[in-house]
Amino acid sequence: MKTKALIKKLHPNVNIPEYKTSGSSGLDLEAFIQKDLIINPKETVLVPTGLSVAIEDHLEIQIRPRSGLAAKNNISVLNTPGTIDSDYRGELKIILYNHGSKEFVVKNEDRIAQMVLVPIIKATFEVVEELPE
């Protein structure tokens, strides 16, 4: 299934994410920073991407860790998965956490997370006295 999403570069040098293969479900997000960021052990850093998006209201974007960063460097997205709601128009920023014992350096254009578009089902709740077994 495909959908149209709008993406805005907040700076002309920002790279637009793309699917690397036809079977990819996620798009790699890159850091867009002016100088290197150091993530000390057991600390978090908010990393800008230089991108903002607009998606249809029946979708959300989930921000997920990159398995390579987690396996090799103990770096993960803190609130996994992070949710970008369909009405959010601000810059996408990634909360990275260093689970390791050594500092980790994030450089401009490092692939830091992935985003996946996911359909949303909204419920209408009915208050009941008992729930079915």
Side-chain angles (χ1 to χ4, degrees):
M1 173 182 2
K2 290 193 176 191
T3 188
K4 187 174 190 174
L6 305 177
I7 194 161
K8 180 179 178 180
K9 294 170 74 167
L10 302 177
H11 188 280
N13 293 339
V14 172
N15 295 320
I16 299 299
E18 57 185 40
Y19 295 100
K20 298 297 183 197
T21 69
S22 62
S24 296
S25 59
L27 302 112
D28 286 337
L29 292 172
E30 296 180 357
F32 186 73
I33 50 180
Q34 303 304 312
K35 62 178 187 167
D36 294 352
L37 292 174
I38 295 173
I39 310 175
N40 291 309
K42 312 302 182 227
E43 287 188 355
T44 60
V45 172
L46 191 61
V47 184
T49 65
L51 298 168
S52 58
V53 296
I55 57 175
E56 295 180 22
D57 63 2
H58 66 277
L59 300 172
E60 75 165 336
I61 292 175
Q62 291 185 356
I63 304 297
R64 300 179 183 176
R66 294 191 67 248
S67 57
L69 274 182
K72 295 174 188 169
N73 299 292
N74 296 306
I75 301 298
S76 187
V77 175
L78 185 61
N79 59 329
T80 301
T83 296
I84 307 298
D85 293 311
S86 64
D87 58 354
Y88 179 71
R89 295 295 181 268
E91 181 177 10
L92 301 180
K93 294 182 180 179
I94 310 304
I95 306 168
L96 291 183
Y97 181 75
N98 184 348
H99 291 274
S101 58
K102 297 183 285 190
E103 75 177 27
F104 180 79
V105 179
V106 179
K107 298 181 177 301
N108 190 47
E109 295 186 354
D110 278 355
R111 295 179 298 157
I112 55 170
Q114 56 182 329
M115 69 176 182
V116 177
L117 275 76
V118 180
I120 296 298
I121 299 171
K122 294 191 177 183
T124 302
F125 289 98
E126 177 183 344
V127 177
V128 296
E129 295 296 319
E130 297 292 327
L131 295 175
E133 292 293 319

